[in-house]
Amino acid sequence: MPSIQVNDERLFYVHRGPAALAPAEMPAVLFSHGAGGTHRHWLPEVVAAGALTRAYALDLPGHGRSTGTGRDTISGYVEVVRGLLDALGLDRAVVGGHSMGGAIAQTLALTYPDRCAGLILTGTGARLRVLPAIMEGVLTDFSATVDVIGQYAYGPDAPTDLLRLGREEMLQNDPQVYHDDFLACDRFDIMDRLGEIRVPTLILCGTADRLTPPKYSHYLHEHIAGSTLTLIEGAGHMVMLEQPAQMNEAIARFLTGL
Ligand code: COA
């Protein structure tokens, strides 16, 4: 897995696709994971999008194999992603994100519109309040709270192996990093600013998502001009891992239409 220095942190990422892109070609795509996640959540989509363009998914600082510490604001993570775009030599990219990663992507589109060629907003919203029991629980009873998150995070048909792997991965997090991710989500609210987003936007959500319910995605769709909404039947919050084939079909259609 390659890594790259961004300021004083070393960020790990996966990538697929051609080594270099001609300026006229489809822009690269960069995916960010959600609270307490890693690049693994986007692996099926990076592999599939790599057949069309250069595709990346990173481990945010303090997550997975990246060094450094997490942030407790979305704008803090936006600076990380912008720094990674710089370090990778990408003037513009389609920015994708899941849950907290979707908040990062939306905020990057608002803060650095010239760096954002499009948005892929997955299992996310314009406001991401977090259940106090989850936010505090990761610090007071980490293992039990990871179980609670696991119960909310998947649709009814998700295979038990996926749930087991997800639980093992969540338990590897530093509880403080996880807490600060949730704090960043809880502080995030751009409900009134979506009209300023002017880039092509694909919105994806599982119909059985209980952490960021489809209502949030409908709101994004209603307020981001020209956006496309694709609901994935039966999938929960971890829709990228639960239904990668349907995700990849929607993403490929979006990217080829840019
Ligand atoms: N898009 C559209 N509508 C939204 C929204 C979004 N992103 N976020 C909140 N709303 C709506 C709610 O549905 C609610 O509508 P209602 O009054 O018609 O029921 C209203 O805005 C206020 O909701 P909220 O700001 O969330 O405050 P709350 O006090 O009602 O609820 C929680 C707080 C934490 C209980 C609730 O947000 C929740 O259950 N969150 C999901 C669980 C979670 O922790 N997810 C993790 C996300 S990373």
Side-chain angles (χ1 to χ4, degrees), residues 1 12 14 31-43 57-60 62-66 98 169-170 172-173 238 240-241:
M1 218 174 126
F12 280 78
V14 288
F31 293 107
S32 302
H33 58 77
T38 71
H39 72 279
R40 190 184 70 82
H41 295 169
W42 281 111
L43 207 43
L58 82 156
D59 284 349
L60 289 165
H63 298 72
R65 295 180 62 188
S66 288
H98 174 236
E169 189 183 72
M170 282 193 277
Q172 285 167 20
N173 278 299
M238 301 308 293
M240 310 90 72
L241 293 171

Side-chain angles (χ1 to χ4, degrees), residues 124-225:
T124 191
R127 173 178 163 94
L128 295 176
R129 295 287 305 281
V130 178
L131 283 168
I134 290 181
M135 187 148 62
E136 295 314 318
V138 289
L139 292 180
T140 55
D141 192 344
F142 187 50
S143 170
T145 305
V146 161
D147 286 339
V148 171
I149 297 168
Q151 284 158 19
Y152 278 104
Y154 297 88
D157 301 328
T160 43
D161 273 2
L162 201 59
L163 273 65
R164 185 183 46 75
L165 192 60
R167 183 175 193 280
E168 284 169 12
E169 189 183 72
M170 282 193 277
L171 285 170
Q172 285 167 20
N173 278 299
D174 175 343
Q176 189 65 51
V177 171
Y178 219 154
H179 174 270
D180 288 353
D181 281 355
F182 284 134
L183 190 57
C185 289
D186 200 58
R187 290 169 163 165
F188 172 70
D189 184 351
I190 58 157
M191 300 275 279
D192 297 336
R193 296 197 59 197
L194 292 177
E196 297 170 44
I197 294 179
R198 302 273 180 214
V199 292
T201 299
L202 173 64
I203 302 156
L204 296 152
C205 185
T207 57
D209 188 333
R210 292 198 286 160
L211 287 177
T212 53
K215 176 181 181 181
Y216 293 9
S217 285
H218 283 291
Y219 187 91
L220 292 172
H221 180 45
E222 282 156 20
H223 292 85
I224 301 179

Side-chain angles (χ1 to χ4, degrees), residues 227-245:
S227 60
T228 301
L229 170 63
T230 301
L231 293 175
I232 299 194
E233 193 56 42
H237 190 57
M238 301 308 293
V239 56
M240 310 90 72
L241 293 171
E242 293 177 56
Q243 293 295 343

